[in-house]
Amino acid sequence: MSILVFIDQADGHIKKASFEAATYGAKLAAQLGTTAEALVLGTVSDDLSTLGQYGIKKVHTVSDASLNKMDAAVYADVIAQAAGQATVIVLSNNTTGKAVAPRLSVKLKAGLVSGAISLPDTSQGFVVRKSVFSGKAFANIAVKTDKKIIALNPNAFGTETGAGSAEVAAVQASIPASNVEVVAVNKVSGEVPLSEADIVVSGGRGLKGPENWGLVTELAQLLGAATACSRPVADIHWRPHHEHVGQTGLAIAPNLYIAIGISGAIQHLAGVNRSKTIVVINKDPEAPFFKAADYGIVGDAFEVVPKVIEAVKKIKAS
Amino acid sequence: MKILVCISKTPDTTAKIAFTDNNTKFATDGVQWIINPYDEWYALVRAIELKEADPSIALHLLNVGGADSEPIIRKALALGGDEAIRVNSEENDSFFVASQIANIAKEGGYDLVFTGKETIDYNGSSIGGMVAELLGNTYISHATKFDLQDGKALVTREIEGGEEQCQAAFPLVVSCQKGMAEQRIPNMKGIMGARTKPLKVVEPIAVDSMTSVVSFELPPAKAGVKLVSADQPEELVRLLREEAKVI
Ligand SMILES: Cc1cc2nc3c(=O)[nH]c(=O)nc-3n(C[C@H](O)[C@H](O)[C@H](O)COP(=O)(O)OP(=O)(O)OC[C@H]3O[C@@H](n4cnc5c(N)ncnc54)[C@H](O)[C@@H]3O)c2cc1C
Ligand SMILES: Nc1ncnc2c1ncn2[C@@H]1O[C@H](COP(=O)(O)O)[C@@H](O)[C@H]1O
């Protein structure tokens, strides 16, 4: 009877979203009167005992280098072995979680809530709120099985730390062979990955052409932000496809989303409406994006953004 | 080679999201239904391209849904594909739908099952993985490119923080997203031809669902935008730092 949090790692480092999953797992354990433990697969250079600060009591490791490569079948198999008596398994609903959680759900006959955003209501059964309609609504989902799996939307719950150190121990597991042979890996290096960024600066067709993207990238660099764009901008190859956010691109939920020269079409909003704070810079006061924004400047991006950059520089220097 | 493409019916991307019956049902009044964009633009179009390159490929479409799914199934057939199957049932939950798909996939002996990366209404991103586990097949999620090479699949997929190219043997389940193909518009010949393509209706197998929707909620309305004058960007930066506390 415990909670198991699956900790996702890449290149030896724990993913930010997994600290959130750990926080969630610990709070859920407190709610259910049990303890939260964690599982880490592959070789990790981070100090895993620090997961104790997020409320994890014990960290189980299977540090086989073959697990540095994510294969949904292999991961689900090993997690199922390590899950033991755990009644709830928590993971991040990131790319890894989306690949692994459904397989695990079938394997353990455990009902899955993917895209969860809050702790369960256990007053009547086990009901978890999840994001639906691409962030435009929530659904309360009852999980009817004894075992449950919760895949938490990144940046939906936040992290909380305190004092604590987790016990770290290796766990025995047999690792099945993968049927997926990786031929080449292409990591986006140096930049902040869009899915994990706290701040995102995004540009639309209002920027007129790729030669003007310096405005976006300079502001992003100053703020330690990732860059994104609207769909037509990616479609006409002003920016790479992986920057496309929206209904048919990536859905993100940063703390701050700055939209420059983007009209705010409903399909664009579907990918960014879970952002905590939205800033819109657009020369058209009627642009629909202003209705979804927290802060806005009506003005020409080519005049406004350089001034914003100067103002940020000033505040960073002070 | 036999390919099965799973298509779901979703509200149009501009549909107004509202609920009825004490917030337990999606309000369908005036809603236009479309093929889930990931299923149509990426999974289906890529499968059609594979068949165009190798006409010996059998390409079947599958939907789990009521009779009201038929217009979107016909639209999918107008884009391409040899025939369609509809499992005549409500969608209950992801596990239920995945079980129906896995059952058809197993009986039909499909080498490759394509799904979209997620539905734009339920946002489950679960059904592909569940189908793979039910079939005991390899699962490659978030594919952005798919090719056939020496009898195997050569797939580029998104992983945390980047992408990787990988190779896998059939049978295989692949979830598809942007990059796989370009959107197509059905032509007149396709639309006419779709009318006579077989659309088989089968009854569902008995499966206990694992989850159920209790109710829906709309997010609280935004307080409204705070506009800052274009001459005072310092004020915007101050608000972001002191009020919103995000920089
Ligand atoms: C099924 C479907 C799915 C879609 N999915 C997505 C998606 O995932 N993501 C997405 O982004 N879109 C998506 N779209 C497209 C979407 O409907 C819009 O067409 C798109 O978001 C518009 O991009 P934009 O705002 O960059 O360009 P535009 O609509 O052309 O807007 C440009 C904006 O820039 C402003 N502007 C112009 N010049 C300046 C200036 N000098 N300074 C400041 N502002 C200026 C204009 O006032 C305007 O508001 C989808 C569409 C469909 C039908
Ligand atoms: N009712 C359905 N019938 C057929 N395929 C479906 C159905 N629902 C979902 N799918 C497929 O499963 C994918 C993922 O759906 P989901 O897990 O609900 O996000 C979709 O993109 C479809 O390819």
Side-chain angles (χ1 to χ4, degrees):
Chain A
M1 242 299 265
S2 66
I3 312 286
L4 186 74
V5 180
F6 169 71
I7 302 292
D8 191 23
Q9 60 109 352
D11 306 319
H13 300 295
I14 296 173
K15 303 296 281 184
K16 192 181 126 199
S18 289
F19 291 118
E20 233 182 325
T23 304
Y24 183 96
K27 294 213 165 176
L28 177 58
Q31 182 181 332
L32 301 180
T34 177
T35 52
E37 303 185 354
L39 173 68
V40 181
L41 305 184
T43 49
V44 178
S45 46
D46 292 348
D47 175 6
L48 295 176
S49 68
T50 58
L51 282 166
Q53 295 167 10
Y54 299 87
I56 298 295
K57 293 286 177 261
K58 187 169 178 182
V59 181
H60 305 275
T61 59
V62 185
S63 29
D64 190 294
S66 71
L67 294 170
N68 292 339
K69 185 188 85 177
M70 195 283 291
D71 176 50
V74 175
Y75 269 37
D77 194 294
V78 177
I79 297 171
Q81 292 176 51
Q85 297 307 306
T87 43
V88 186
I89 297 174
V90 178
L91 27 65
S92 168
N93 197 39
N94 64 2
T95 323
T96 305
K98 287 175 182 174
V100 175
R103 287 204 85 127
L104 195 59
S105 165
V106 170
K107 197 178 272 295
L108 297 177
K109 299 192 170 48
L112 165 66
V113 181
S114 60
I117 57 165
S118 65
L119 285 167
D121 176 352
T122 47
S123 60
Q124 263 185 326
F126 193 97
V127 178
V128 185
R129 181 170 305 172
K130 91 182 271 303
S131 173
V132 289
F133 292 101
S134 307
K136 285 175 251 176
F138 308 123
N140 296 309
I141 307 294
V143 186
K144 301 187 275 189
T145 47
D146 292 339
K147 294 192 178 194
K148 284 116 181 146
I149 301 178
I150 298 175
L152 186 66
N153 257 354
N155 222 6
F157 195 72
T159 54
E160 223 171 84
T161 51
S165 175
E167 176 195 344
V168 181
V171 55
Q172 285 303 316
S174 68
I175 302 166
S178 169
N179 292 323
V180 180
E181 186 198 338
V182 175
V183 186
V185 181
N186 182 8
K187 294 258 167 150
V188 186
S189 59
E191 304 163 33
V192 188
L194 185 51
S195 57
E196 285 183 31
D198 284 326
I199 304 180
V200 174
V201 183
S202 186
R205 212 148 47 174
L207 283 170
K208 308 286 188 287
E211 65 281 7
N212 300 322
W213 238 262
L215 289 176
V216 173
T217 51
E218 188 180 354
L219 183 57
Q221 224 161 24
L222 271 174
L223 294 170
T227 51
C229 66
S230 67
R231 178 171 158 222
V233 164
D235 283 351
I236 48 185
H237 305 299
W238 291 359
R239 297 298 293 175
H241 275 307
H242 65 79
E243 283 197 1
H244 157 200
V245 292
Q247 184 109 58
T248 46
L250 195 68
I252 54 172
N255 291 332
L256 175 59
Y257 183 74
I258 302 180
I260 304 170
I262 305 177
S263 57
I266 191 159
Q267 298 94 352
H268 184 84
L269 295 180
V272 303
N273 56 11
R274 290 193 292 111
S275 310
K276 302 246 155 55
T277 300
I278 295 179
V279 173
V280 170
I281 299 172
N282 194 306
K283 70 172 184 190
D284 175 9
E286 301 297 324
F289 221 145
F290 284 114
K291 288 206 179 68
D294 299 282
Y295 302 99
I297 293 183
V298 178
D300 187 331
F302 298 103
E303 290 164 22
V304 173
V305 179
K307 287 196 234 164
V308 173
I309 288 173
E310 286 315 308
V312 173
K313 277 186 187 159
K314 250 189 252 163
I315 205 166
K316 291 269 169 190
S318 69
Chain B
M1 172 151 167
K2 287 183 81 177
I3 304 179
L4 185 65
V5 178
C6 303
I7 55 168
S8 53
K9 166 176 145 276
T10 54
D12 174 50
T13 53
T14 57
K16 180 172 165 19
I17 307 303
F19 304 101
T20 59
D21 289 14
N22 220 356
N23 284 327
T24 58
K25 287 204 173 66
F26 174 61
T28 54
D29 275 4
V31 168
Q32 295 266 6
W33 297 94
I34 60 168
I35 311 166
N36 185 43
Y38 295 106
D39 311 354
E40 177 187 340
W41 304 357
Y42 308 131
L44 178 57
V45 174
R46 186 63 196 132
I48 291 168
E49 289 170 356
L50 294 172
K51 187 179 165 78
E52 284 167 352
D54 175 2
S56 76
I57 290 176
L59 172 54
H60 299 172
L61 318 184
L62 172 61
N63 171 262
V64 179
D68 53 356
S69 281
E70 296 207 349
I72 69 113
I73 300 175
R74 289 284 174 207
K75 184 179 169 209
L77 284 170
L79 284 161
D82 306 313
E83 59 178 69
I85 305 158
R86 177 170 70 81
V87 176
N88 184 30
S89 169
E90 292 302 308
E91 293 185 68
N92 295 339
D93 82 335
S94 305
F95 178 68
F96 176 91
V97 173
S99 301
Q100 306 305 328
I101 295 172
N103 181 50
I104 299 283
K106 192 186 284 170
E107 284 193 345
Y110 292 92
D111 308 283
L112 175 62
V113 177
F114 268 165
T115 71
K117 92 162 177 181
E118 65 180 301
T119 46
I120 62 168
D121 49 1
Y122 190 68
N123 303 125
S125 41
S126 312
I127 285 172
M130 287 182 172
V131 171
E133 183 68 26
L134 286 161
L135 293 170
N137 289 354
T138 304
Y139 179 46
I140 299 183
S141 60
H142 300 102
T144 57
K145 262 203 187 104
F146 183 98
D147 288 291
L148 298 172
Q149 201 183 52
D150 308 325
K152 286 185 169 182
L154 185 64
V155 191
T156 304
R157 65 163 165 181
E158 186 195 318
I159 50 169
E160 272 303 301
E163 54 175 37
E164 66 186 18
Q165 200 184 36
C166 49
Q167 222 175 22
F170 296 103
L172 199 59
V173 179
V174 176
S175 85
C176 307
Q177 64 176 13
K178 182 165 178 158
M180 288 282 281
E182 297 289 337
Q183 185 182 4
R184 285 190 183 185
I185 313 284
N187 57 27
M188 212 48 203
K189 185 162 161 270
I191 294 167
M192 300 307 284
R195 292 190 188 158
T196 53
K197 285 183 184 173
L199 196 174
K200 245 194 323 208
V201 179
V202 299
E203 291 307 313
I205 53 167
V207 175
D208 287 332
S209 60
M210 299 203 214
T211 61
S212 63
V213 176
V214 177
S215 59
F216 293 100
E217 274 169 53
L218 290 172
K222 279 251 173 190
V225 61
K226 221 177 230 187
L227 287 179
V228 175
S229 148
D231 310 322
Q232 291 182 311
E234 307 79 22
E235 176 60 6
L236 174 70
V237 174
R238 186 192 70 77
L239 285 167
L240 292 179
R241 171 155 284 195
E242 293 171 16
E243 191 175 82
K245 300 192 171 61
V246 285
I247 61 172

